[in-house]
Amino acid sequence: MKKTFLFLAFSLFAITLVFNSCSSSRDEEVINYTISPSSLTTNYDKTQQLSVLNGSSTLNNSDFNWSSSNEISGKVSSSGLFTAGKIGETTITATNIKNGKSVNTKITVNPYQNFFKEPILEFGQTKEYIKSKETRTLLKETTTGLSYVGENSSIRNIGYTFDSNGKMNSAIVLFDNNVNLVSNVVTFYKERYYYLGLVNNNNSFVTTDKSIGIQIDSGSNSTLGFNALYLKL
């Protein structure tokens, strides 16, 4: 009889282990993270709240570390709020703090304004080099400059100047002298470059690598009219 009770006790113990094991397997979390939205196209002045889902369940964003692969095109806060930057692409990654699992989404920052092609901004190059790269129609060539016909009615001319050694040292875009064009031009540069504010009453910008300065004169210069001047810093 004692052996029978020992056998039954052992059997119950074994069954309990089996059922506990099955229960643990069922309770084990299934991880299928996604970020909502799964992809995004936006503009330089927009924000977007991102969320992490596991299946159809929305998780707590504070349980994840957030990062952007290209902070020039956009940054993301610790709460998953994306703030767009300059035109380009970035990948936003959310990594679970506890289990290390990651998920990402691609974000593209597109332009509002894309109505002209900027000058060839390769300072220090020769006239022959600039001429080989320019696709617009050459209007005039002098010993110290090149002038091209603008590609549409919003652009009068594109110009380049060269120093005494024949090296390019400035570029300029001459816009149509139309006050209604000013806001479009300012937006064009804001979505590509860092805005410095007004310098001598002109909207001023610097490239993202801080190597080139751009100053927009909306027409106060009576000789050139509405223009954007590029200079190497």
Side-chain angles (χ1 to χ4, degrees):
M1 182 65 71
K2 185 176 182 181
K3 288 182 179 181
T4 301
F5 278 118
L6 286 173
F7 175 76
L8 288 173
F10 178 77
S11 298
L12 287 171
F13 177 71
I15 291 170
T16 300
L17 286 178
V18 170
F19 275 99
N20 283 341
S21 176
C22 291
S23 176
S24 297
S25 297
R26 285 195 303 270
D27 292 342
E28 195 172 305
E29 183 184 12
V30 176
I31 295 175
N32 182 26
Y33 293 153
T34 57
I35 292 181
S36 178
S38 57
S39 64
L40 177 68
T41 298
T42 188
N43 301 103
Y44 83 103
D45 56 351
K46 302 293 186 183
T47 61
Q48 174 69 48
Q49 181 62 57
L50 305 176
S51 302
V52 179
L53 285 72
N54 188 20
S56 59
S57 300
T58 301
L59 304 180
N60 191 335
N61 279 356
S62 63
D63 291 337
F64 292 80
N65 287 324
W66 295 83
S67 63
S68 170
S69 65
N70 177 14
E71 292 197 339
I72 291 175
S73 289
K75 297 181 179 181
V76 63
S77 72
S78 59
S79 63
L81 180 66
F82 176 78
T83 301
K86 306 309 172 187
I87 294 168
E89 294 180 349
T90 185
T91 298
I92 302 301
T93 301
T95 303
N96 188 279
I97 295 169
K98 291 182 179 179
N99 62 31
K101 301 289 185 181
S102 295
V103 63
N104 56 57
T105 186
K106 178 182 175 182
I107 298 179
T108 302
V109 181
N110 278 344
Y112 286 119
Q113 302 294 336
N114 202 24
F115 65 96
F116 77 101
K117 185 175 73 171
E118 291 184 88
I120 309 300
L121 299 177
E122 297 188 44
F123 288 85
Q125 290 292 347
T126 64
K127 281 198 293 181
E128 291 306 313
Y129 179 86
I130 299 299
K131 286 164 67 176
S132 73
K133 295 293 184 180
E134 260 291 358
T135 58
R136 287 165 279 227
T137 301
L138 181 63
L139 178 65
K140 186 177 181 180
E141 178 177 356
T142 68
T143 55
T144 58
L146 293 170
S147 179
Y148 289 85
V149 178
E151 62 264 48
N152 58 58
S153 60
S154 296
I155 312 298
R156 289 179 288 140
N157 300 104
I158 302 289
Y160 301 89
T161 63
F162 299 82
D163 63 22
S164 57
N165 295 315
K167 304 297 184 181
M168 198 264 278
N169 60 7
S170 76
I172 193 168
V173 180
L174 301 181
F175 298 102
D176 180 43
N177 289 307
N178 181 349
V179 293
N180 296 322
L181 189 60
V182 174
S183 62
N184 290 346
V185 169
V186 172
T187 296
F188 179 96
Y189 287 98
K190 277 186 175 181
E191 56 193 2
R192 289 165 173 80
Y193 304 119
Y194 295 133
Y195 183 55
L196 301 178
L198 291 175
V199 178
N200 298 323
N201 293 319
N202 295 323
N203 286 289
S204 299
F205 299 83
V206 65
T207 53
T208 54
D209 62 0
K210 298 181 171 61
S211 65
I212 299 171
I214 305 150
Q215 194 165 79
I216 298 172
D217 184 339
S218 60
S220 60
N221 186 323
S222 59
T223 302
L224 297 175
F226 183 16
N227 71 84
L229 177 65
Y230 299 73
L231 294 170
K232 187 172 178 60
L233 299 178

